[in-house]
Amino acid sequence: MFYRTLFIISILFLMTRINGQQVQVISSSDHSPIEHVAVFNISRERAALTDSLGNIDLSIFPLSDTILFQHPSYITAQYNKKTISGQTFIVLDRKRILIDEYVISASKSRESKLIIPYMVEVFEQNVLRETTGLTAAEILESAGNIMVQKTQGGGGSPILRGFEANKILLVVDGVRLNNAIYRNGHLQNSITIDHSILERTEVIFGPTSIIYGSDALGGVIHYYTRDPGLAEDSQTLLDVQAYTQYASAMQGKTGHLDFSVGKRKVGTLTSITYKDLGDIRIGARRSPYLYDWGQITHYVDRVNGMDSTVVNKNTLIQKNSGYHQLDILQKIRYTPSMYVDWILNMQYSTSSDIDRLDKLNDYSGENLKYASYYYGPQNRCLISLKNVLKKDNRFFTNMTTIAAFQKIDEDRNSRKFRNTELLTQQEDVHVFSLNMDLLKIWGANHKLNYGLEISHNRVASQAWYENIQTGEQQPALTRYPEGGSQTWSASAYASYKWIMNKQLVLNGGSRYNWGTLSSQFFNPILPYDQIHINHGALTGSLGLVYKPSDRWQLNAILSTGFRNPNVDDYGKVRAKDEYVTVPNENLSPEYSYNAELGISRIVEGYMKIEVVGYYTYLKDAIVRTDYQLNGEDSFYYDGDPYRISTNYNAGRAYIYGTSMNVTSNLNKNILLKATLNYTRGHNLTDDVPLGHIPPIFGRTSLTYRKSRFFVDTYFVYHGWKSVNDFSPFGEDNDEEAMAYGFPSWWTANIKAGFQAGSHLNFILAIENLIDQFYKPYASGVSAPGRNFIITARFTL
């Protein structure tokens, strides 16, 4: 009886399957069932959804119908019912280019990238691990829309939309790195961040002063280091990661180790990275029209106790471009409950002396001008305590508080050829900061971010000459005010997001900042002994995200940004080229007014095209100009005559440009990416080109992935920067260019990776395949030639 019943049930089940044709929709990658697939005919008269197991009954569709299977994460499939009448499975391919990335930095809280009006570039951990960049600055170049300038081997100054240095805000783990001596020229401070321990990096393009305050004129680069993991049960969580890397062009060796130990409530993470990078070998393949441009033909050495100009026997090697660096990170995490999280974050970075290659290749007559010119060990110490409260109440849904202290040592040392006096200028900066960022969510469509920030900077500056033979010291002019400087700033902000419907999202906000600056001078060449500046700044933004369909998206932004003058702007005495910059007590904040429009088009499952256009109007932009001091337009500094210049509020300037991005899945294994960026800028007040504006540049890559293996072939290209487009005040480093500017260049590159089991993977890269010589825009150091990079990574 039992077998007869079982037989009847089986026959009935088979008849149901035949008549109703129940099918299961599965993913092509892992054959897992896909829930909530919309299944409908072309006329949309009949429709249904797959269940939690991916099953659906197709009996509602006539045999002559054409059926579509649609899901937001998969490529839509279309079949005539006749052709699939005998099938039990429908296989869908995932849409790789439509992954809904989340972004933290835009509002300091996690949200979908699809509802943010800003142009944002996200480097997730898997992307960071595949980059071959040797520093936290170099990894940014892989995006294709960020240019990095290098004054020396230990350099790296990102450029966003024609803004650089103190007009871009650097942030690590919620703490701003920009301090009172961040300069207007080119900065290498981003290399003090250990890229080996990063979990993700986010770059926001355009003014973002509402959330981040001063300095975010060109954008924000936010580095996030990994946090300690916690165990889910009574067991102990142990995570160990290590890698070693070798780069042939500079005989560079990097070693990294980190380990994390976690219990249910307490976790720790320890990381250490050491890199030893030698002198850079440049490309051997060069145009004859470049002559010896970019080569180091001579260098200075001490022979029998005397400076001597020595011929560089191998001009492919850039003498004095190497350095080494040590980075240490320690985090301790305590999570007493699901509502509270504490993280103590300690970071320390130190380097060897870093030679200023752009100075060491300057000539005075037949000899080099300087025997030595270098940054002393660049030290950065950061200690922060972060608290996150996640229990919803009437005031907030989440609240994050970060109290931080930073100590930065930045020293400059220089000695002229056959001069026994070594000039040392020593700068010590202490930074105290407090940030409170709150998030309140009402329902699913209303979100308010608000908070406050308090920051205090103290700058101590010393300078002296030291006889390298006798050790005798005597006072010298300091770079910054001898009596010390202090800055205070306090600000509050609010930003509101309203998701009106599936098609429209509105963003708006405002921020007010108040600041004070004070310095004491003991410099006899100045007609005053102190500077005291008070200022306030009000900024706002309005953004819109409009999605008329799943294939089109329109982003629009109207925003303002500001940057408070700092000690480097108003209190510096510095010689460069033919000019010496002197203090100016009349500086005020510089403002930017930005309009931006972005359009993206998705060709379903195949291609995504993004075009962003922007126009930024600068008011009271801080730039250099000719100046008179005590009725004189020049004086002697460090034994040489210089014309006098100063920073001032130029009045009016503009920057406009466009960025274009294409991402295309040629098939399920091959991904094509291409970028192109164009920027122009002009100082309207002086009717001269604006500095820091890069030439047209971009990147194209073709990546093949299958199982544990990938190959990435990519091309990097930069246009010509004509001398006619240089700023006359030296920001574009025209002394490092040829007579007609910085020539255009391109490189071909390839890298391949292989996952050897669950614990070990390898990456082999060959950069600059054809060994092309080139020198990036405004850089003092020429780029590496053919460079073999081998990385071996171990995880446990």
Side-chain angles (χ1 to χ4, degrees):
M1 181 68 182
F2 171 77
Y3 292 107
R4 182 182 298 175
T5 304
L6 181 62
F7 177 75
I8 294 172
I9 292 174
S10 300
I11 293 296
L12 290 174
F13 175 76
L14 288 174
M15 289 179 66
T16 302
R17 296 283 292 190
I18 292 170
N19 294 331
Q21 196 187 351
Q22 188 173 16
V23 298
Q24 186 181 36
V25 183
I26 61 175
S27 172
S28 63
S29 58
D30 56 5
H31 301 289
S32 59
I34 307 174
E35 184 181 9
H36 295 154
V37 176
V39 183
F40 53 90
N41 58 4
I42 291 180
S43 64
R44 297 182 182 264
E45 295 173 349
R46 299 175 178 84
L49 290 174
T50 59
D51 62 19
S52 60
L53 297 178
N55 294 320
I56 189 169
D57 189 345
L58 299 182
S59 61
I60 62 172
F61 300 101
L63 199 62
S64 59
D65 250 350
T66 296
I67 306 175
L68 289 85
F69 296 79
Q70 188 177 76
H71 189 279
S73 299
Y74 292 83
I75 300 172
T76 299
Q78 179 177 308
Y79 299 98
N80 185 283
K81 187 178 179 182
K82 271 186 184 178
T83 63
I84 59 172
S85 59
Q87 295 182 202
T88 56
F89 296 101
I90 299 295
V91 181
L92 299 184
D93 294 323
R94 181 175 287 275
K95 298 177 182 176
R96 293 180 181 268
I97 64 171
L98 298 183
I99 296 175
D100 184 11
E101 294 177 304
Y102 72 88
V103 175
I104 302 173
S105 55
S107 63
K108 294 189 178 180
S109 60
R110 180 168 174 155
E111 59 186 350
S112 168
K113 189 176 178 180
L114 298 178
I115 61 173
I116 297 172
Y118 297 102
M119 176 180 169
V120 181
E121 187 69 43
V122 179
F123 301 80
E124 296 189 357
Q125 192 173 45
N126 61 321
V127 174
L128 293 172
R129 289 184 174 182
E130 292 180 2
T131 62
T132 54
L134 301 176
T135 68
E138 291 183 9
I139 62 174
L140 303 175
E141 294 180 297
S142 63
N145 44 35
I146 303 170
M147 180 179 287
V148 175
Q149 181 274 351
K150 283 188 175 183
T151 300
Q152 62 278 330
S157 185
I159 304 175
L160 304 181
R161 294 185 175 179
F163 291 97
E164 187 183 359
N166 58 20
K167 293 178 175 60
I168 291 174
L169 182 61
L170 300 180
V171 183
V172 60
D173 294 330
V175 179
R176 64 161 52 227
L177 295 187
N178 293 43
N179 58 55
I181 65 170
Y182 264 39
R183 55 191 178 273
N184 182 47
H186 310 288
L187 286 175
Q188 73 276 9
N189 298 73
S190 58
I191 74 169
T192 66
I193 300 168
D194 183 8
H195 69 291
S196 304
I197 196 62
L198 293 177
E199 181 176 37
R200 64 191 286 115
T201 298
E202 297 180 3
V203 181
I204 310 176
F205 295 83
T208 48
S209 293
I210 301 303
I211 300 297
Y212 287 95
S214 178
D215 301 355
L217 295 179
V220 176
I221 302 174
H222 199 148
Y223 297 96
Y224 297 88
T225 61
R226 283 168 43 207
D227 288 333
L230 298 178
E232 296 182 359
D233 49 33
S234 59
Q235 300 295 317
T236 299
L237 176 69
L238 176 64
D239 180 63
V240 180
Q241 299 189 28
Y243 81 84
T244 182
Q245 186 179 72
Y246 174 77
S248 65
M250 64 287 298
Q251 302 292 302
K253 297 169 282 293
T254 302
H256 168 80
L257 171 67
D258 70 77
F259 56 92
S260 177
V261 180
K263 303 292 284 186
R264 292 189 64 182
K265 295 184 177 182
V266 179
T268 67
L269 171 65
T270 303
S271 168
I272 183 169
T273 303
Y274 180 77
K275 64 181 70 170
D276 184 359
L277 307 179
D279 290 338
I280 299 171
R281 177 195 172 276
I282 64 177
R285 186 175 180 269
R286 58 190 292 129
S287 167
Y289 299 105
L290 299 181
Y291 304 104
D292 62 353
W293 176 66
Q295 292 182 337
I296 303 298
T297 55
H298 299 90
Y299 63 95
V300 174
D301 198 5
R302 297 282 288 179
V303 179
N304 297 324
M306 180 179 292
D307 292 335
S308 300
T309 299
V310 180
V311 175
N312 185 8
K313 295 181 179 179
N314 185 356
T315 55
L316 295 182
I317 301 298
Q318 293 186 101
K319 289 284 190 179
N320 306 308
S321 58
Y323 73 103
H324 59 259
Q325 182 171 316
L326 174 68
D327 296 289
I328 300 173
L329 176 142
Q330 178 66 57
K331 283 189 176 182
I332 301 173
R333 180 178 182 180
Y334 175 53
T335 306
S337 73
M338 63 183 294
Y339 304 113
V340 182
D341 205 10
W342 292 89
I343 296 180
L344 177 64
N345 183 357
M346 295 171 283
Q347 301 177 20
Y348 178 71
S349 176
T350 185
S351 71
S352 64
D353 293 340
I354 299 178
D355 290 306
R356 281 284 302 269
L357 196 63
D358 63 324
K359 294 293 186 180
L360 294 177
N361 62 13
D362 290 346
Y363 284 83
S364 178
E366 295 182 356
N367 290 310
L368 291 164
K369 183 175 181 178
Y370 290 97
S372 60
Y373 205 120
Y374 58 93
Y375 290 110
Q378 183 163 292
N379 302 320
R380 180 182 68 89
C381 175
L382 180 149
I383 302 173
S384 71
L385 181 63
K386 176 181 177 180
N387 171 252
V388 181
L389 298 178
K390 295 174 281 189
K391 194 167 186 179
D392 191 25
N393 55 59
R394 67 172 66 180
F395 300 107
F396 61 85
T397 305
N398 279 5
M399 181 174 74
T400 301
T401 305
I402 302 177
F405 167 74
Q406 297 178 74
K407 184 178 184 298
I408 300 98
D409 301 328
E410 188 173 294
D411 305 335
R412 293 169 177 81
N413 305 269
S414 61
R415 184 175 63 84
K416 292 184 178 177
F417 186 76
R418 291 186 179 172
N419 188 323
T420 59
E421 299 295 322
L422 175 67
L423 172 62
T424 297
Q425 294 177 310
Q426 187 179 83
E427 328 298 343
D428 294 323
V429 184
H430 292 182
V431 184
F432 305 85
S433 62
L434 175 66
N435 291 77
M436 292 184 65
D437 299 293
L438 299 95
L439 166 67
K440 180 60 181 175
I441 298 175
W442 294 277
N445 300 326
H446 301 276
K447 177 180 176 183
L448 175 68
N449 292 90
Y450 65 103
L452 60 87
E453 177 184 36
I454 301 173
S455 178
H456 174 52
N457 281 234
R458 293 195 314 216
V459 182
S461 188
Q462 302 179 64
W464 63 88
Y465 287 104
E466 180 176 340
N467 190 296
I468 62 171
Q469 295 177 341
T470 67
E472 181 182 355
Q473 293 185 356
Q474 57 181 337
L477 292 177
T478 58
R479 180 181 176 92
Y480 300 117
E482 304 91 322
S485 302
Q486 294 192 55
T487 71
W488 282 93
S489 70
S491 59
Y493 76 92
S495 177
Y496 177 69
K497 186 183 299 291
W498 180 17
I499 304 175
M500 300 181 67
N501 50 51
K502 291 182 179 181
Q503 286 77 38
L504 188 62
V505 179
L506 294 179
N507 297 262
S510 184
R511 184 185 188 106
Y512 181 76
N513 182 91
W514 176 85
T516 180
L517 316 166
S518 61
S519 296
Q520 294 287 329
F521 295 89
F522 305 142
N523 194 326
I525 69 172
L526 300 177
Y528 42 79
D529 58 10
Q530 65 178 359
I531 288 179
H532 190 81
I533 303 173
N534 292 320
H535 50 73
L538 178 65
T539 55
S541 72
L542 181 64
L544 175 146
V545 177
Y546 177 57
K547 297 185 67 176
S549 70
D550 290 339
R551 298 184 178 185
W552 287 93
Q553 179 166 324
L554 174 71
N555 296 347
I557 304 172
L558 294 174
S559 63
T560 60
F562 76 98
R563 194 186 76 82
N564 291 327
N566 63 16
V567 178
D568 187 85
D569 293 313
Y570 74 81
K572 174 175 59 181
V573 178
R574 183 198 70 155
K576 183 180 179 182
D577 304 331
E578 300 175 356
Y579 289 88
V580 62
T581 303
V582 299
N584 182 359
E585 60 183 334
N586 298 312
L587 283 183
S588 59
E590 52 186 342
Y591 291 88
S592 69
Y593 303 88
N594 185 69
E596 181 175 333
L597 182 66
I599 301 174
S600 64
R601 170 73 164 92
I602 295 171
V603 180
E604 187 179 9
Y606 170 68
M607 180 182 295
K608 183 175 184 179
I609 303 171
E610 300 172 280
V611 180
V612 177
Y614 55 89
Y615 181 91
T616 301
Y617 176 78
L618 297 171
K619 178 185 176 184
D620 295 332
I622 298 175
V623 298
R624 292 181 205 152
T625 189
D626 293 326
Y627 191 67
Q628 288 190 352
L629 195 64
N630 301 321
E632 302 290 337
D633 62 3
S634 63
F635 67 83
Y636 277 82
Y637 177 81
D638 196 23
D640 292 321
Y642 290 95
R643 295 175 59 187
I644 300 175
S645 69
T646 194
N647 289 322
Y648 85 117
N649 294 104
R652 299 178 300 124
Y654 67 78
I655 296 175
Y656 68 86
T658 183
S659 293
M660 291 167 279
N661 301 273
V662 176
T663 304
S664 176
N665 282 108
L666 303 184
N667 59 39
K668 66 179 181 180
N669 301 114
I670 300 177
L671 178 67
L672 172 69
K673 288 187 176 183
T675 66
L676 190 65
N677 306 272
Y678 175 78
T679 313
R680 298 289 292 178
H682 197 76
N683 178 342
L684 293 170
T685 302
D686 294 327
D687 194 24
V688 296
L690 200 63
H692 303 288
I693 305 298
I696 189 170
F697 70 98
R699 188 179 192 269
T700 298
S701 67
L702 190 67
T703 306
Y704 174 83
R705 293 182 183 274
K706 187 172 180 64
S707 186
R708 299 180 175 184
F709 175 77
F710 80 88
V711 176
D712 183 16
T713 302
Y714 57 99
F715 299 86
V716 181
Y717 32 88
H718 283 222
W720 188 287
K721 175 73 174 184
S722 170
V723 69
N724 296 326
D725 296 325
F726 284 6
S727 163
F729 302 115
E731 295 98 326
D732 297 308
N733 282 359
D734 53 306
E735 73 279 4
E736 295 298 327
M738 297 190 70
Y740 301 102
F742 285 94
S744 60
W745 55 269
W746 64 273
T747 63
N749 316 266
I750 188 170
K751 64 181 174 182
F754 176 70
Q755 181 79 36
S758 58
H759 301 296
L760 188 64
N761 71 70
F762 299 92
I763 294 178
L764 171 63
I766 308 176
E767 296 181 337
N768 196 354
L769 272 167
I770 62 175
D771 204 24
Q772 180 76 41
F773 168 81
Y774 67 98
K775 192 174 186 180
Y777 156 70
S779 292
V781 61
S782 300
R786 186 181 295 114
N787 191 13
F788 294 88
I789 302 176
I790 303 173
T791 306
R793 189 180 297 271
F794 170 81
T795 59
L796 178 63

